[in-house]
mmCIF file of all heavy atoms in Angstrom:
data_model
loop_
_atom_site.group_PDB
_atom_site.id
_atom_site.type_symbol
_atom_site.label_atom_id
_atom_site.label_comp_id
_atom_site.label_asym_id
_atom_site.label_seq_id
_atom_site.Cartn_x
_atom_site.Cartn_y
_atom_site.Cartn_z
ATOM 1 N N VAL A 233 3.443 41.657 -7.039
ATOM 2 C CA VAL A 233 4.553 42.510 -7.465
ATOM 3 C C VAL A 233 4.853 42.173 -8.930
ATOM 4 O O VAL A 233 5.272 41.058 -9.248
ATOM 5 C CB VAL A 233 5.809 42.300 -6.583
ATOM 6 C CG1 VAL A 233 6.981 43.129 -7.111
ATOM 7 C CG2 VAL A 233 5.511 42.667 -5.133
ATOM 8 N N THR A 244 16.397 46.383 -14.323
ATOM 9 C CA THR A 244 15.810 45.260 -15.043
ATOM 10 C C THR A 244 14.590 45.754 -15.804
ATOM 11 O O THR A 244 14.279 46.946 -15.782
ATOM 12 C CB THR A 244 15.450 44.109 -14.069
ATOM 13 O OG1 THR A 244 15.105 42.954 -14.812
ATOM 14 C CG2 THR A 244 14.304 44.476 -13.137
ATOM 15 N N LEU A 288 -5.571 13.711 11.707
ATOM 16 C CA LEU A 288 -4.235 13.580 11.090
ATOM 17 C C LEU A 288 -3.304 12.757 11.963
ATOM 18 O O LEU A 288 -3.271 12.917 13.187
ATOM 19 C CB LEU A 288 -3.629 14.970 10.854
ATOM 20 C CG LEU A 288 -4.339 15.830 9.806
ATOM 21 C CD1 LEU A 288 -3.799 17.268 9.837
ATOM 22 C CD2 LEU A 288 -4.175 15.218 8.409
ATOM 23 N N CYS A 317 -0.970 15.322 16.146
ATOM 24 C CA CYS A 317 -0.093 14.258 15.652
ATOM 25 C C CYS A 317 1.389 14.660 15.684
ATOM 26 O O CYS A 317 1.718 15.839 15.808
ATOM 27 C CB CYS A 317 -0.496 13.933 14.214
ATOM 28 S SG CYS A 317 -0.435 15.385 13.147
ATOM 29 N N ILE A 359 14.371 35.824 2.259
ATOM 30 C CA ILE A 359 15.748 35.326 2.124
ATOM 31 C C ILE A 359 16.357 35.699 0.772
ATOM 32 O O ILE A 359 17.304 35.076 0.314
ATOM 33 C CB ILE A 359 15.829 33.790 2.362
ATOM 34 C CG1 ILE A 359 14.912 33.035 1.391
ATOM 35 C CG2 ILE A 359 15.512 33.438 3.799
ATOM 36 C CD1 ILE A 359 15.210 31.549 1.331
ATOM 37 N N ALA A 388 5.093 5.217 -8.799
ATOM 38 C CA ALA A 388 6.544 5.021 -8.960
ATOM 39 C C ALA A 388 7.244 6.317 -8.609
ATOM 40 O O ALA A 388 6.645 7.395 -8.665
ATOM 41 C CB ALA A 388 6.874 4.630 -10.408
ATOM 42 N N ILE A 402 21.861 28.693 0.459
ATOM 43 C CA ILE A 402 21.211 29.718 1.281
ATOM 44 C C ILE A 402 21.855 29.608 2.663
ATOM 45 O O ILE A 402 21.440 28.775 3.479
ATOM 46 C CB ILE A 402 19.687 29.487 1.386
ATOM 47 C CG1 ILE A 402 19.075 29.286 -0.004
ATOM 48 C CG2 ILE A 402 19.027 30.666 2.099
ATOM 49 C CD1 ILE A 402 17.633 28.775 0.026
ATOM 50 N N PRO A 459 5.772 20.146 -13.449
ATOM 51 C CA PRO A 459 7.185 20.320 -13.105
ATOM 52 C C PRO A 459 7.375 21.455 -12.101
ATOM 53 O O PRO A 459 6.526 22.350 -12.005
ATOM 54 C CB PRO A 459 7.813 20.708 -14.450
ATOM 55 C CG PRO A 459 6.712 21.386 -15.195
ATOM 56 C CD PRO A 459 5.391 20.893 -14.652
ATOM 57 N N GLY A 478 5.060 14.788 -24.577
ATOM 58 C CA GLY A 478 4.629 15.966 -25.345
ATOM 59 C C GLY A 478 4.565 17.212 -24.477
ATOM 60 O O GLY A 478 3.988 17.189 -23.391
#
Side-chain angles (χ1 to χ4, degrees):
V233 176
T244 190
L288 293 170
C317 57
I359 57 165
I402 310 168

